[in-house]
Amino acid sequence: DAGVIQSPRHEVTEMGQEVTLRCKPISGHDYLFWYRQTMMRGLELLIYFNNNVPIDDSGMPEDRFSAKMPNASFSTLKIQPSEPRDSAVYFCASSAWGSNQPQHFGDGTRLSIL
Amino acid sequence: GENVEQHPSTLSVQEGDSAVIKCTYSDSASNYFPWYKQELGKRPQLIIDIRSNVGEKKDQRIAVTLNKTAKHFSLHITETQPEDSAVYFCAASLGATNKLIFGTGTLLAVQP
């Protein structure tokens, strides 16, 4: 079974540039989650979708961050303009329909903003 | 807001000993409690989970206990092995939603 697929695995870019992270959830999963992991703040939920609709975006840090899910098999997280403090590992996870279903994580994107 | 506290932050044990990691949650409506293992540079991987209608769950050397009254749950690893070395995260659902609140992690080191 293919798991959650994220791209790119690593991204290094300069401050002010636009960054786009991509995620393909597990086929058949109805929920998609975007997380950010840093040493200082741990694992934080940024936003999650149910059936392609954003349900809770209260974790999105500011207007520079946006996320979309145009269809059931693809989501993007965009940062524009990027800042050095956005450097982190960004994980995408998905889960099946229903409450209390396990979330399965992708391998993450390690983002460095210079 | 709701939060999950996890202790200890680091834990060192000898191979073959047991390890226990404890978490406390604040949302009395939480009903799902997963545990994740994350090796260095890798993704978090679900190792075991428990739902609020169950007090204990076991899977080989791993067990989780839940005390809903006290709002705490624990991970128990028996007969630890060097490959158990990793960071372990607990999490609790926000009420009955699919949103998870994660603990701050425990770095477990198993000394051969």
Side-chain angles (χ1 to χ4, degrees):
Chain A
D1 279 347
V4 175
I5 299 172
Q6 291 186 244
S7 65
R9 290 294 313 278
H10 303 273
E11 174 90 10
V12 180
T13 193
E14 292 190 346
M15 181 175 65
Q17 297 298 307
E18 178 179 288
V19 173
T20 300
L21 311 181
R22 297 172 176 79
C23 176
K24 176 179 168 56
I26 293 171
S27 178
H29 279 191
D30 293 300
Y31 287 88
L32 184 138
F33 307 81
W34 281 102
Y35 289 89
R36 178 171 67 176
Q37 187 175 39
T38 61
M39 287 295 293
M40 291 297 294
R41 300 177 66 90
L43 201 55
E44 305 173 273
L45 178 67
L46 301 177
I47 185 171
Y48 79 96
F49 296 82
N50 179 21
N51 289 324
N52 315 336
V53 176
I55 302 300
D56 184 340
D57 66 354
S58 59
M60 295 287 262
E62 46 197 281
D63 291 346
R64 297 184 298 106
F65 286 70
S66 62
K68 293 182 180 179
M69 192 164 186
N71 57 63
S73 58
F74 183 66
S75 177
T76 59
L77 178 68
K78 191 170 290 189
I79 308 172
Q80 167 62 20
S82 58
E83 297 182 4
R85 61 193 168 118
D86 301 330
S87 299
V89 181
Y90 291 80
F91 287 103
C92 176
S94 70
S95 67
W97 178 86
S99 62
N100 302 340
Q101 295 302 311
Q103 293 184 22
H104 300 273
F105 283 73
D107 288 332
T109 295
R110 183 173 296 276
L111 177 64
S112 297
I113 309 296
L114 306 177
Chain B
E2 305 298 348
N3 74 311
V4 174
E5 292 189 2
Q6 183 172 347
H7 299 281
S9 57
T10 60
L11 179 59
S12 181
V13 300
Q14 290 294 125
E15 183 177 358
D17 288 350
S18 294
V20 180
I21 302 170
K22 299 181 179 181
C23 289
T24 304
Y25 60 98
S26 59
D27 183 1
S28 57
S30 295
N31 62 1
Y32 176 60
F33 308 90
W35 285 87
Y36 286 83
K37 175 184 180 182
Q38 186 177 27
E39 297 177 6
L40 187 63
K42 301 284 183 66
R43 60 187 168 93
Q45 288 193 286
L46 180 73
I47 55 171
I48 196 167
D49 57 8
I50 192 167
R51 291 167 176 80
S52 59
N53 57 347
V54 175
E56 182 175 359
K57 184 176 178 180
K58 266 186 153 179
D59 183 2
Q60 299 182 3
R61 296 186 296 109
I62 294 173
V64 57
T65 58
L66 171 64
N67 183 328
K68 285 217 72 178
T69 303
K71 292 192 284 186
H72 67 70
F73 57 113
S74 301
L75 178 72
H76 304 252
I77 306 174
T78 58
E79 300 172 27
T80 54
Q81 301 167 3
E83 50 265 39
D84 294 329
S85 298
V87 178
Y88 290 81
F89 292 95
C90 64
S93 64
L94 184 66
T97 72
N98 289 60
K99 183 173 179 175
L100 293 178
I101 309 297
F102 280 83
T104 49
T106 296
L107 175 61
L108 173 64
V110 180
Q111 309 297 335

